[in-house]
Amino acid sequence: MELRVEQLIAGYPGHRAVAGVDLTVPSGEVVAIVGPNGCGKSTLLRSIARLHQPESGRILAGDADIWQLRQRQAAHRIALLPQSPLAPEAVTVAGLVRYGRHPHQGLFRQWSREDERAVGEALRATGVAGLADRRLDQLSGGQRQRCWLAMVLAQETPVVLLDEPTSALDIGHAVEVLDLVREVAVAGRTVVMVLHDLAGAARYADTVVAMKDGRIVAQGAPRDVVDSALVRELYGIEADILQAPDDGSPVVVPAARHAAAAVAAR
């Protein structure tokens, strides 16, 4: 399902966080939104997820404006994994993933074989089926993040939103999560994720969207937009941009300020 954001304006009292953003995400692609702290990327994601009411503009999932839908209808189209999700105390992995089926429940529709199938597929897709009976609080950070992703996948929405899915993970677990994100897109879902890690965005996203001061300052394929000028504009630092030997994706190598000063002094 294609996701479109049209002239979106959103903010808070006295502060405009998103200033007229246009964005199109084709079905089955991964878009990574990057930029410095306070640039508006999380507010944009929260607006798409119906957690922050925009001032104006439209957000369309397929042919429907999500802010014109009922909450349950929107939850059939878009699922969000927030940056710091909270789980009920002592919940098991299977119990957590079952929460993803909540939008499919109702007064006349209780737990079904279809729900059980969706939960089982999500557990297997994220590699945590063997942990189904374990308590979430007994797992490592990487395992927990995969369990949260399983919950989102169990919701079976065509659009998946991820807010900093690799935060607080070591490089090994971060790679596992981003590999899983790619698999989700290959399976046909549309993925929009906010990342602080520009290198990870360049490696795993089909499109990088760079934001600054509430506006998009660059967007396109990573090898077309990730360069030293963009790093300088976003973060105020110098960086060398190398190419990954296997696929040519950009590799960002920040220049240490003390090293640059030593070279200048020669």
Side-chain angles (χ1 to χ4, degrees):
M1 179 178 289
E2 183 181 78
L3 177 70
R4 297 201 315 278
V5 177
E6 299 176 349
Q7 282 298 295
L8 192 75
I9 295 176
Y12 309 90
H15 175 62
R16 176 164 288 179
V18 178
V21 163
D22 288 301
L23 177 64
T24 298
V25 187
S27 178
E29 288 202 1
V30 176
V31 166
I33 305 174
V34 301
N37 291 336
C39 71
K41 54 187 184 295
S42 289
T43 301
L44 172 59
L45 200 73
R46 287 173 57 82
S47 297
I48 297 172
R50 284 179 51 110
L51 294 179
H52 185 89
Q53 176 79 54
E55 298 172 24
S56 62
R58 295 199 307 166
I59 302 167
L60 298 135
D63 59 356
D65 185 334
I66 64 153
W67 282 98
Q68 300 301 316
L69 299 175
R70 294 180 179 178
Q71 181 66 41
R72 187 177 295 273
Q73 292 173 319
H76 281 233
R77 292 176 180 249
I78 294 178
L80 168 71
L81 177 58
Q83 183 175 351
S84 301
L86 298 175
E89 186 176 356
V91 70
T92 65
V93 170
L96 176 73
V97 178
R98 289 190 186 103
Y99 280 109
R101 300 302 296 169
H102 178 72
H104 300 272
Q105 307 302 306
L107 182 61
F108 299 106
R109 189 189 185 286
Q110 301 303 312
W111 192 261
S112 68
R113 290 182 178 179
E114 180 68 12
D115 296 316
E116 201 65 43
R117 176 204 57 77
V119 168
E121 288 185 0
L123 288 167
R124 288 188 292 273
T126 52
V128 295
L131 304 174
D133 296 326
R134 294 273 302 277
R135 280 174 40 173
L136 190 70
D137 57 12
Q138 296 174 337
L139 304 180
S140 70
Q143 290 172 324
R144 287 197 300 272
Q145 192 69 335
R146 283 189 283 133
C147 294
W148 284 110
L149 280 168
M151 184 196 73
V152 170
L153 295 185
Q155 195 169 327
E156 292 193 318
T157 58
V159 179
V160 175
L161 309 177
L162 307 172
D163 192 0
E164 291 292 346
T166 59
S167 64
L169 297 182
D170 61 43
I171 187 170
H173 287 121
V175 167
E176 285 182 4
V177 168
L178 292 175
D179 280 339
L180 178 57
V181 169
R182 287 295 335 167
E183 291 173 10
V184 170
V186 168
R189 302 196 197 191
T190 302
V191 181
V192 180
M193 59 181 177
V194 166
L195 285 181
H196 275 301
D197 178 14
L198 182 58
R203 185 72 164 173
Y204 285 91
D206 297 296
T207 299
V208 169
V209 175
M211 292 187 67
K212 183 179 181 182
D213 298 329
R215 300 182 183 277
I216 293 177
V217 297
Q219 63 177 309
R223 66 185 63 193
D224 294 333
V225 301
V226 177
D227 56 22
S228 56
L230 180 66
V231 175
R232 188 182 308 116
E233 180 178 7
L234 294 181
Y235 306 109
I237 63 171
E238 298 300 321
D240 295 316
I241 309 299
L242 310 179
Q243 286 189 335
D246 55 351
D247 63 359
S249 61
V251 178
V252 181
V253 183
R257 286 193 171 93
H258 68 83
V263 171
R266 291 176 183 172

